């Protein structure tokens, strides 16, 4: 009897010195994960009970380590709401019971986001997409990315599952990761999920001169391609216009130059349009007008007197003189032949000039 009492006392002393501590948290809003493993736990199996509110429920799935129970995963259907209540655990070890009270409202750890993908969008920006591990409107995400050694963090709005990097360079290697937690208006959690696996885009040519598989071309490549196309079109149009101008200026080598020059039809040798040729041709006809000129003739006094004496009439009242002159007058007769295209006017002339001799005595 005394030996049994001694053993009970020793067992109680050991258990009191090595009382296990139960640590719990909510995982991905799916179940409560509790562990009591460690140096404080004896190498014996134990029984675990837990509850939100009233009524203990025994653990349905134990966590084993070396065939010894060291933890429990207990599923609850409404953890997004129930985690605000007090969570009570009871651990039965040998003949002892250890009870603890837990507050799990801010002890929620989500799983890392899944299906993280990246693609180069039509707006030349780099777009990342992912899915949350738990479907809930209370999840907020945080991304971190880098193209060198330093990470850059960015917190996103609630329920946002996309992120973009503006105008990336294909010569840089971009790496991005995502993690998530519970938003503040749903009862903020102090725990973040683990970072998701990295998504890569671009190349590492700046570091080792090689391209990564699946890297997209730079955002500048479409711009350079468009600029090159515009320059090519401009040059083509310029060459075409210049070629047409040369064709309009240079003569047709198929025609006989000697014959054309002999005939005087130089216009036929040049590829000039018919309307331009017609513009240089006269649309009227004109006959030449012959003109005869007569000069002034001076006569001596003796010739004048001889001419006057031979005349049948003599005038006594003529005063004597010794000078005679001839005056040239123009008598012009022009016949007008109006043409169809010109107004009435002289188109041909026949001019005669006569000389009138005036004598003075």
């Amino acid at each position: 009897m005394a030996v049994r009492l001694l053993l009970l006392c020793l067992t109680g002393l050991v258990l009191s010195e090595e009382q296990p501590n139960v640590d719990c948290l909510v995982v991905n809003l799916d179940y409560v994960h509790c562990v009591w493993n460690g140096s404080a736990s004896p190498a014996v199996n134990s029984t675990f009970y837990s509850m939100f509110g009233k009524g203990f429920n025994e653990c349905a799935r134990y966590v084993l380590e070396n065939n010894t129970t060291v933890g429990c995963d207990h599923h609850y259907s409404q953890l997004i709401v129930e985690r605000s209540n007090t969570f009570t655990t009871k651990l039965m070890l040998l003949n002892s019971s250890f009870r603890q009270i837990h507050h799990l409202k801010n002890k929620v750890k989500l799983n890392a986001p899944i299906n993280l993908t990246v693609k180069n969008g039509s707006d030349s920006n780099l777009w990342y997409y992912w899915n949350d591990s738990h479907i809930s409107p209370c999840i907020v995400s945080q991304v971190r990315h880098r193209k060198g050694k330093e990470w850059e963090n960015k917190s996103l709005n609630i329920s946002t599952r996309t992120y973009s990097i503006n105008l990336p360079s294909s010569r840089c290697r971009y790496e991005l990761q995502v993690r998530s937690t519970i938003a503040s208006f749903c009862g903020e959690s102090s725990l973040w999920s683990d970072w998701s696996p990295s998504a890569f885009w671009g190349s590492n040519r700046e570091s080792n001169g090689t391209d990564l598989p699946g890297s997209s071309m730079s955002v500048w490549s479409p711009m350079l391609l468009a600029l090159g196309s515009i320059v090519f079109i401009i040059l083509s149009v310029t060459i075409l216009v210049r070629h047409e101008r040369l064709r309009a200026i240079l003569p047709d080598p198929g025609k006989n130059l000697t014959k054309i020059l002999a005939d005087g039809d130089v216009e036929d040798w040049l590829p000039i349009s018919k309307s331009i040729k017609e513009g240089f041709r006269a649309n009227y006809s004109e006959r030449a007008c012959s003109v005869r000129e007569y000069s002034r003739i001076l006569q001596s006094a003796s010739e004048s007197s001889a001419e006057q004496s031979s005349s049948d009439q003599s005038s006594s009242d003529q005063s004597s003189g010794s000078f005679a002159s001839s005056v040239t007058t123009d008598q012009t007769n022009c016949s007008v032949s109006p043409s169809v295209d010109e107004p009435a006017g002289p188109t041909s002339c026949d001019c005669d000039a006569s000389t009138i001799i005036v004598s003075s005595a």
Side-chain angles (χ1 to χ4, degrees):
M1 187 66 180
V3 174
R4 294 179 64 181
L5 291 174
L6 179 61
L7 290 175
L8 289 174
C9 292
L10 292 175
T11 302
L13 180 62
V14 171
L15 292 176
S16 63
E17 290 179 354
E18 298 182 0
Q19 179 177 351
N21 181 45
V22 179
D23 188 16
C24 298
L25 59 86
V26 177
V27 177
N28 205 44
L29 295 175
D30 291 331
Y31 60 92
V32 177
H33 176 72
C34 298
V35 293
W36 53 89
N37 60 330
S39 59
S41 300
V44 294
N45 288 326
S46 55
T47 305
F48 181 78
Y49 298 90
S50 63
M51 68 174 180
F52 280 105
K54 297 180 180 180
F56 280 105
N57 296 311
E58 185 179 356
C59 179
R61 188 177 66 181
Y62 284 98
V63 178
L64 301 178
E65 183 177 312
N66 297 326
N67 294 324
T68 303
T69 56
V70 295
C72 175
D73 293 335
H74 201 121
H75 286 265
Y76 293 91
S77 60
Q78 297 294 329
L79 279 177
I80 189 66
V81 178
E82 291 182 336
R83 66 189 179 91
S84 301
N85 300 327
T86 301
F87 184 68
T88 306
T89 61
K90 183 175 66 172
L91 181 62
M92 302 296 296
L93 186 61
L94 296 178
N95 295 324
S96 301
S97 176
F98 304 94
R99 182 178 294 195
Q100 284 183 250
I101 295 177
H102 307 266
H103 301 282
L104 303 180
K105 181 179 179 179
N106 63 342
K107 297 183 70 174
V108 179
K109 184 175 182 179
L110 300 174
N111 292 336
I114 58 176
N115 300 329
L116 177 61
T117 57
V118 58
K119 72 174 185 177
N120 197 358
S122 58
D123 56 356
S124 300
N125 295 332
L126 201 60
W127 285 92
Y128 292 86
Y129 303 90
W130 63 89
N131 295 324
D132 293 325
S133 58
H134 183 87
I135 300 176
S136 174
C138 295
I139 296 178
V140 63
S141 300
Q142 183 182 70
V143 299
R144 68 175 183 178
H145 64 89
R146 64 181 177 181
K147 59 180 179 179
K149 294 183 179 180
E150 299 295 330
W151 288 101
E152 180 179 349
N153 290 10
K154 176 70 174 180
S155 295
L156 306 179
N157 295 329
I158 190 170
S159 299
T160 300
R161 299 177 183 87
T162 60
Y163 183 74
S164 66
I165 297 177
N166 296 331
L167 301 178
S169 171
S170 63
R171 297 186 60 85
C172 298
R173 185 190 188 194
Y174 292 85
E175 180 182 2
L176 184 136
Q177 294 178 323
V178 189
R179 66 178 182 176
S180 58
T181 188
I182 302 298
S184 59
F185 75 91
C186 291
E188 184 177 9
S189 174
S190 60
L191 303 176
W192 283 90
S193 70
D194 296 332
W195 289 104
S196 68
S198 297
F200 297 95
W201 183 91
S203 67
N204 56 354
R205 284 181 293 179
E206 293 183 348
S207 58
N208 55 20
T210 59
D211 290 338
L212 288 178
S215 61
S216 302
M217 65 179 179
S218 170
V219 63
W220 299 109
S221 298
M223 297 182 182
L224 294 177
L225 182 61
L227 181 61
S229 301
I230 294 174
V231 172
F232 175 76
I233 293 173
I234 293 175
L235 290 177
S236 300
V237 172
T238 304
I239 293 174
L240 181 61
V241 171
R242 185 175 181 84
H243 179 66
E244 292 296 329
R245 289 180 177 178
L246 289 176
R247 288 182 58 187
I249 295 175
L250 294 178
D252 186 359
K255 296 183 178 180
N256 193 333
L257 179 60
T258 305
K259 181 179 179 180
I260 292 174
L261 292 178
D263 296 340
D265 296 331
V266 182
E267 295 85 354
D268 295 337
W269 190 47
L270 298 175
I272 303 175
S273 62
K274 184 177 180 180
S275 59
I276 297 178
K277 292 180 182 179
E278 295 295 335
F280 287 99
R281 293 180 180 177
N283 57 359
Y284 63 91
S285 60
E286 179 180 358
R287 290 183 295 176
C289 177
S290 60
V291 178
R292 288 177 292 178
E293 295 183 358
Y294 297 88
S295 60
R296 190 184 185 94
I297 301 175
L298 296 178
Q299 294 181 343
S300 63
S302 60
E303 293 176 349
S304 176
S305 60
E307 187 178 15
Q308 291 178 0
S309 61
S310 62
S311 177
D312 295 338
Q313 294 180 354
S314 62
S315 300
S316 60
D317 54 351
Q318 291 181 345
S319 56
S320 60
S322 59
F323 176 79
S325 62
S326 65
V327 179
T328 302
T329 62
D330 264 346
Q331 294 179 353
T332 304
N333 294 324
C334 296
S335 59
V336 179
S337 299
S339 64
V340 177
D341 296 332
E342 293 294 331
T347 60
S348 64
C349 299
D350 188 9
C351 304
D352 292 331
S354 62
T355 303
I356 300 175
I357 301 175
V358 180
S359 300
S360 61

